[in-house]
Amino acid sequence: MYLERSLISTLYINLQRTYHATSPPVLILVSLEPDALCACRILTRLLKGDFIPHKIHPISGYGDLEKAGREAVRPMMESEGGSGGVVICLGVGGLVDLGGLLSIEVDGERTSYSGVEVWIMDARRPWNLGNVFGGTPSLPQAEGEELAVQKQIGVEGGKIERGYKHGKGGIIVFDDGDIEEGLNAERDAYLALLDMPEVDDDSDASDSESEDEDEDSPPNDSQPGQKRKSWSDRGDDDGSSDDDDERPRQRRRSNSSSPIPSPTRPGGRGLMSLNDPSVILSSASRSASPTPAQPPKQPSARTLRRRLLKLRRKNEAVLQAYYSLGASYSEPISSMMYSLASELGREENDMLWMAIVGVTSTELYGRSSIGVSISGQKSSQSGWLGTRGSRIRQLLRDEVRRLNPPELTDSSSGSNRNASPEDKGIIPTTARSPTDTAIRLSPEPKLLLIRHWSLYDSMLHSPYLSARLHIWSEHGKKRLHKLLAKMGVSLVQCKQSYTHMDMELKRGLRTKFLKYSEMYGLDDLVPAADTDGKDRGGTKEGWGFVRSWGWRATLSAQDVGVVVGAILEVGKNSFETSGWERKEAKETTDEDGTLESEEWVSRFWDAYDALEKIEELKAALPTAQYLHRAILRQGTSLIEKRQIRHLRAFRFTIVKDGPDVTLFTHPSALTKLALWLGEAVAEQEREKTGKLGHGGRGTPLVVAGLNESRGVYVVVGTGGGGMAFGDHDAKARKEKREAKMKAKEAKRKAKEKIREEKRAARRKTVEENGEDEEGEEEEEETESEASESEDDSDDEDIEPAKAKGFGMNRFGNAFQEVVEETNARMRTDSFEHCVVEVKKEDLNGFLESLSGKTVVG
């Protein structure tokens, strides 16, 4: 079942109303990622405000999720002695059949869910359609009765409506708009398949020829449990059985583009010819007589079965096409959770900050509308999630203005003395007062941890800057030095801590970046000057978010996302020991990854605390700097040694040497390295050919990191950022559409003016001659409709969009195809389906087979 966006608060309000002292605590299953952590922080703040007990259970992968289902979720079921309850999944389980994985919906059991209600919030796509349109509980049946599909009250076509009754359990997916707007065909196909009876594909081969001779006799090989036998023996049933069979026939036909053919009811009584013995025989078993116009011959059971199989395959093809599109991302769950708080009227600055950090962190991991991929083409501020990402950011900026109104001193028009630094183009590095905890908009450059590093180090480790200046080479570093020299910043000054740099340099930094960025292809390095806006309600497109904690610290949302991600991937104090020492410390065998996942879960609580305790967040800053230094070192080494090779479908490289190898055994850290390398590869492609490879999709990249202690390679596949070209095409189409609409409007106004002149002339003639006006009005309406249809036909000339799924990351699909075709020992435990573990000995065969697959849509 799914809950549409406009009803997002109804489930929580019902939880408030029905909760009592003996109710079990709410169980929250959270994935190990910054976006889910931020959503969890918002949710727990809501629950604490309503005095609802809850338990947080970090989940590292599918194995951990299955274990949590057995040990924590299944005991909640009423059939297992529990009292039901609510389980909330944040970034967990949206891509799999969650009922089976959590052991609350088991084949062969008379009941399912037993009072356990599972809420799913997940930004990953594609959805598991069984969760979206299924997930309804089955009630216990009396002895001897068959388990029939029961219609849940308040659920229509998988969609929860206002009359929905809670308490019986089920799976509920929170829709961010994708399901309601984009899955209509998939919904119709799924529901049609749900209502179809079970028919074997080879059942028509076992039919005998005698069925063609005796079409009205029931088939002898009817399937067990097949109740709707009226298709073959309709003529042998009385009127009451016809009525009973008619109802399921109509249910099967609903939502289906090709209705299942079934015998039609005879028409009214007519003249009957007694001289025709065949009519007499057929009429003996029918309640009505045929008319002189004999109805078409009733199809045989074999024909009906073939039509049913054809219709079933058609609907299955629709679902398979949806699953084959590839991976993508939709609205971050922290943004969805803040929408819930807003619907409840409980929004506040702390919740807003969590939503901002969660949304910002998704870009650090390359999560976009085409899956895990590089940022793509330049000059595309809305590249992340396209127009949806731009709209979410604008809503967050509006919320910042609403909850953090400017002080009176800021609005003084007499002088600029009291103007805030961000209004002068300077990124703020300190609070305005000892008690300042406000969130502000800031013209953030695409540099890394600039407030906590020197300007030089921040530019050197920025993935955006390093790819475009080729930082990995000596020539690239000279280009960086040259850029700083043109800006008038000496190496001595730029290697100081940014907070201690000369104020005049910082004040003119943005202007100088804007002046020289185009020369080096850095158009998006800082927000353009035209985004400032003289009024405080300006859009400020491309601006970032900054928050202060008094005199203690001032950090941007990106800074917090980078630090929290580093805690999850590296650990709080791992940077204090070298990689070789950590490698020697891990001598215990951990083939199934149990110890590793336990270590990752322990980091969850450090990151969870750091989100609200600013001192712990500041203490973890060296960890983030250590991780990104390692990414620069390892990426530079791979490019300089020419270890990035080109296969037919993608480029690949293997990380197995050096002191930082153990860092990249974590899938998220390896993904960041892959994105850094992907940016560099894409930039080299553009410089050589002027465009991205693979027909504009970009060249995908596969990076394998060696985990020596477990004897496996962690493999990550990233897309090539080809959606950027799709964004440009969309922009061009939008401009063309707007120009066409303007021309169309001008043409309509001209025609309307001519029609008005004609009407005035006709009225004058009618008044003079005294004629009837109806004929004239009909003629005017005909002319108006003709002109409208002519205008509407002009819209068809607009250039069509690229095919659905263009540029999407299909590595998850390709990995599964390789497993089915080869004997490679592979383990998919990460919630990211573009991440997989392969046995060390099987890597070469795995890559060879993968090279022949389609990895980008």
Side-chain angles (χ1 to χ4, degrees):
M1 301 177 286
Y2 71 94
L3 184 71
E4 63 177 333
R5 187 66 179 264
S6 60
L7 301 178
I8 191 174
S9 62
T10 55
L11 289 180
Y12 188 87
I13 292 173
N14 181 75
L15 179 64
Q16 286 177 314
R17 292 173 179 170
T18 58
Y19 184 80
H20 50 82
T22 61
S23 298
V26 174
L27 180 62
I28 307 174
L29 306 181
V30 194
S31 62
L32 307 184
E33 56 190 29
D35 183 31
L37 257 73
C38 293
C40 184
R41 271 291 183 188
I42 298 173
L43 177 60
T44 53
R45 200 173 186 91
L46 292 173
L47 294 173
K48 287 177 182 177
D50 294 318
F51 303 101
I52 298 176
H54 53 275
K55 293 190 297 185
I56 301 174
H57 197 307
I59 303 294
S60 61
Y62 287 116
D64 208 6
L65 181 61
E66 188 175 9
K67 181 181 177 183
R70 290 193 310 268
E71 298 179 356
V73 180
R74 187 168 176 81
M76 296 170 61
M77 297 175 65
E78 295 171 354
S79 59
E80 298 291 326
S83 54
V86 175
V87 179
I88 303 177
C89 297
L90 301 179
V92 168
L95 280 67
V96 294
D97 179 12
L98 201 56
L101 198 62
L102 294 178
S103 303
I104 55 177
E105 185 184 19
V106 182
D107 293 339
E109 293 190 356
R110 302 295 298 175
T111 60
S112 60
Y113 305 110
S114 281
V116 176
E117 194 169 80
V118 182
W119 303 355
I120 302 178
M121 281 192 178
D122 201 345
R124 296 179 181 87
R125 302 291 181 270
W127 285 115
N128 182 283
L129 298 179
N131 296 334
V132 177
F133 304 121
T136 55
S138 59
L139 301 181
Q141 304 293 308
E143 289 294 333
E145 289 187 6
E146 295 184 5
L147 190 63
V149 178
Q150 301 174 8
K151 186 174 181 180
Q152 184 84 357
I153 298 175
V155 180
E156 185 65 34
K159 177 181 176 181
I160 292 179
E161 299 176 341
R162 292 191 180 274
Y164 174 72
K165 301 296 182 182
H166 302 264
K168 296 178 181 178
I171 294 179
I172 301 175
V173 172
F174 282 67
D175 179 24
D176 61 355
D178 285 353
I179 299 173
E180 191 70 14
E181 296 174 5
L183 294 184
N184 293 326
E186 288 78 5
R187 178 179 61 227
D188 294 344
Y190 182 90
L191 296 177
L193 287 170
L194 198 64
D195 289 337
M196 286 182 184
E198 290 293 333
V199 179
D200 292 338
D201 290 345
D202 57 348
S203 60
D204 55 345
S206 63
D207 290 339
S208 63
E209 296 180 358
S210 61
E211 287 183 322
D212 295 330
E213 300 174 0
D214 189 10
E215 296 170 357
D216 294 331
S217 62
N220 295 325
D221 58 343
S222 59
Q223 299 297 318
Q226 185 173 340
K227 298 182 293 181
R228 301 179 182 92
K229 62 180 181 179
S230 58
W231 301 339
S232 57
D233 60 351
R234 186 63 168 270
D236 296 333
D237 292 344
D238 55 14
S240 62
S241 64
D242 284 347
D243 293 338
D244 292 339
D245 290 333
E246 184 66 20
R247 286 190 292 272
R249 181 183 65 81
Q250 290 174 347
R251 280 205 303 273
R252 289 198 307 277
R253 189 172 55 190
S254 63
N255 300 324
S256 178
S257 58
S258 303
I260 301 171
S262 59
T264 57
R265 291 183 180 274
R269 292 184 179 274
L271 296 176
M272 180 170 62
S273 174
L274 300 179
N275 297 325
D276 190 351
S278 63
V279 173
I280 296 174
L281 291 173
S282 62
S283 63
S285 60
R286 284 178 170 81
S287 60
S289 303
T291 61
Q294 187 70 19
K297 188 176 181 180
Q298 185 176 352
S300 66
R302 184 176 183 180
T303 303
L304 290 173
R305 188 179 294 110
R306 285 179 173 175
R307 292 179 184 175
L308 178 63
L309 287 171
K310 182 178 180 182
L311 182 59
R312 189 178 72 179
R313 293 187 186 112
K314 178 182 177 183
N315 288 322
E316 287 175 345
V318 172
L319 303 188
Q320 186 59 37
Y322 171 68
Y323 288 128
S324 300
L325 286 176
S328 62
Y329 288 87
S330 189
E331 183 173 349
I333 54 178
S334 53
S335 173
M336 287 282 290
M337 195 61 73
Y338 183 76
S339 296
L340 171 61
S342 182
E343 289 287 330
L344 297 170
R346 306 265 292 276
E347 63 268 40
E348 57 186 28
N349 246 10
D350 289 337
M351 293 184 183
L352 176 59
W353 181 246
M354 290 296 105
I356 290 171
V357 172
V359 169
T360 305
S361 67
T362 57
E363 196 167 1
L364 300 173
Y365 293 92
R367 297 180 178 179
S368 67
S369 54
I370 56 171
V372 177
S373 176
I374 64 174
S375 60
Q377 185 78 323
K378 57 186 179 181
S379 303
S380 178
Q381 293 284 358
S382 61
W384 167 78
L385 291 185
T387 55
R388 171 174 283 186
S390 180
R391 185 170 66 249
I392 292 172
R393 287 196 194 92
Q394 186 57 47
L395 289 172
L396 293 175
R397 285 193 286 267
D398 293 342
E399 284 292 288
V400 168
R401 296 188 187 98
R402 185 174 70 86
L403 297 179
N404 301 270
E407 299 177 5
L408 293 176
T409 55
D410 294 344
S411 58
S412 58
S413 56
S415 134
N416 290 330
R417 181 183 304 173
N418 295 322
S420 57
E422 58 269 22
D423 291 335
K424 299 177 182 178
I426 307 173
I427 62 171
T429 55
T430 57
R432 297 176 180 177
S433 68
T435 58
D436 180 22
T437 58
I439 305 172
R440 289 173 277 174
L441 300 177
S442 169
E444 295 290 306
K446 288 190 175 180
L447 305 180
L448 193 69
L449 300 173
I450 186 170
R451 292 172 179 80
H452 320 286
W453 235 336
S454 66
L455 176 62
Y456 183 82
D457 283 331
S458 180
M459 296 175 74
L460 192 68
H461 294 89
S462 165
Y464 176 83
L465 209 64
S466 60
R468 285 152 183 80
L469 294 183
H470 295 193
I471 292 297
W472 57 84
S473 64
E474 286 300 323
H475 177 67
K477 291 179 181 177
K478 288 180 181 178
R479 291 183 71 191
L480 174 60
H481 296 167
K482 199 170 183 179
L483 171 61
L484 290 169
K486 287 186 177 181
M487 292 169 55
V489 183
S490 68
L491 288 177
V492 175
Q493 290 172 322
C494 70
K495 289 184 178 181
Q496 293 178 352
S497 173
Y498 179 80
T499 54
H500 299 116
M501 277 182 64
D502 183 76
M503 182 54 73
E504 289 300 321
L505 274 177
K506 290 194 285 188
R507 190 173 290 116
L509 198 59
R510 183 186 177 203
T511 305
K512 291 174 180 177
F513 273 139
L514 289 171
K515 182 177 180 181
Y516 297 106
S517 60
E518 189 175 355
M519 187 183 303
Y520 290 87
L522 306 172
D523 295 343
D524 297 335
L525 182 60
V526 290
D530 57 4
T531 62
D532 294 3
K534 296 182 179 179
D535 62 328
R536 297 193 179 276
T539 60
K540 298 192 183 297
E541 180 69 33
W543 283 44
F545 303 90
V546 175
R547 191 180 190 188
S548 298
W549 287 263
W551 297 140
R552 292 183 293 170
T554 297
L555 289 90
S556 70
Q558 186 188 49
D559 295 341
V560 177
V562 168
V563 174
V564 171
I567 295 174
L568 290 171
E569 296 150 23
V570 182
K572 203 170 181 180
N573 301 313
S574 296
F575 69 95
E576 295 175 357
T577 58
S578 68
W580 297 114
E581 290 174 359
R582 285 197 307 277
K583 183 177 178 181
E584 291 173 3
K586 284 189 175 181
E587 289 296 335
T588 57
T589 58
D590 183 28
E591 292 186 2
D592 59 352
T594 304
L595 298 177
E596 190 175 59
S597 64
E598 289 177 359
E599 181 184 352
W600 294 350
V601 167
S602 67
R603 297 174 188 171
F604 171 90
W605 299 111
D606 293 332
Y608 186 78
D609 292 338
L611 277 173
E612 283 201 350
K613 298 178 181 178
I614 187 61
E615 295 301 330
E616 294 193 14
L617 195 66
K618 288 168 60 180
L621 277 167
T623 303
Q625 293 171 341
Y626 171 74
L627 173 62
H628 285 275
R629 285 194 183 101
I631 289 173
L632 178 63
R633 279 196 303 268
Q634 192 67 53
T636 301
S637 173
L638 292 172
I639 294 176
E640 284 183 342
K641 294 179 181 178
R642 300 183 181 275
Q643 292 182 348
I644 302 178
R645 301 176 185 176
H646 202 302
L647 295 182
R648 182 169 60 179
F650 52 84
R651 297 176 190 263
F652 84 96
T653 186
I654 301 175
V655 181
K656 58 182 179 180
D657 299 319
D660 303 313
V661 172
T662 53
L663 277 180
F664 300 111
T665 57
H666 194 287
S668 297
L670 189 64
T671 300
K672 286 182 177 178
L673 174 62
L675 293 171
W676 191 96
L677 291 169
E679 292 270 7
V681 169
E683 195 62 31
Q684 289 175 331
E685 277 185 358
R686 291 194 192 102
E687 291 182 0
K688 288 181 180 179
T689 63
K691 61 180 181 180
L692 291 178
H694 282 64
R697 295 172 176 85
T699 302
L701 178 68
V702 174
V703 180
L706 176 62
N707 188 334
E708 190 68 46
S709 62
R710 293 181 52 208
V712 299
Y713 278 100
V714 181
V715 181
V716 173
T718 63
M723 195 63 179
F725 284 83
D727 289 341
H728 282 289
D729 290 345
K731 185 177 180 181
R733 287 196 301 273
K734 183 179 178 182
E735 292 175 354
K736 185 177 180 179
R737 190 181 299 112
E738 288 175 353
K740 203 168 189 70
M741 289 300 292
K742 288 180 181 178
K744 182 178 173 181
E745 188 63 26
K747 188 177 179 181
R748 183 183 288 113
K749 287 180 179 179
K751 289 183 177 181
E752 186 64 30
K753 186 177 180 181
I754 295 173
R755 280 199 292 270
E756 284 294 334
E757 293 175 355
K758 288 182 178 180
R759 288 193 192 103
R762 284 170 185 156
R763 290 193 193 99
K764 187 175 181 182
T765 304
V766 168
E767 290 174 0
E768 292 176 355
N769 301 335
E771 296 178 354
D772 188 10
E773 297 183 8
E774 288 187 5
E776 301 296 336
E777 290 176 356
E778 290 178 1
E779 185 178 349
E780 291 174 9
E781 290 177 1
T782 304
E783 290 178 1
S784 177
E785 291 174 359
S787 62
E788 287 177 3
S789 62
E790 181 182 348
D791 292 338
D792 292 339
S793 64
D794 293 341
D795 294 338
E796 299 176 0
D797 298 335
I798 298 174
E799 181 184 357
K802 282 187 169 67
K804 191 175 182 181
F806 178 83
M808 280 191 179
N809 188 322
R810 293 192 72 255
F811 273 103
N813 306 64
F815 290 158
Q816 295 301 323
E817 293 172 9
V818 171
V819 171
E820 293 171 2
E821 295 176 3
T822 66
N823 295 323
R825 290 167 292 177
M826 192 185 84
R827 177 172 174 257
T828 303
D829 190 60
S830 173
F831 295 125
E832 302 293 344
H833 280 194
C834 63
V835 177
V836 71
E837 292 180 359
V838 182
K839 275 292 184 182
K840 186 177 178 181
E841 300 81 10
D842 299 338
L843 181 66
N844 291 334
F846 175 83
L847 292 174
E848 183 179 352
S849 180
L850 185 65
S851 64
K853 305 300 178 186
T854 302
V855 295
V856 173

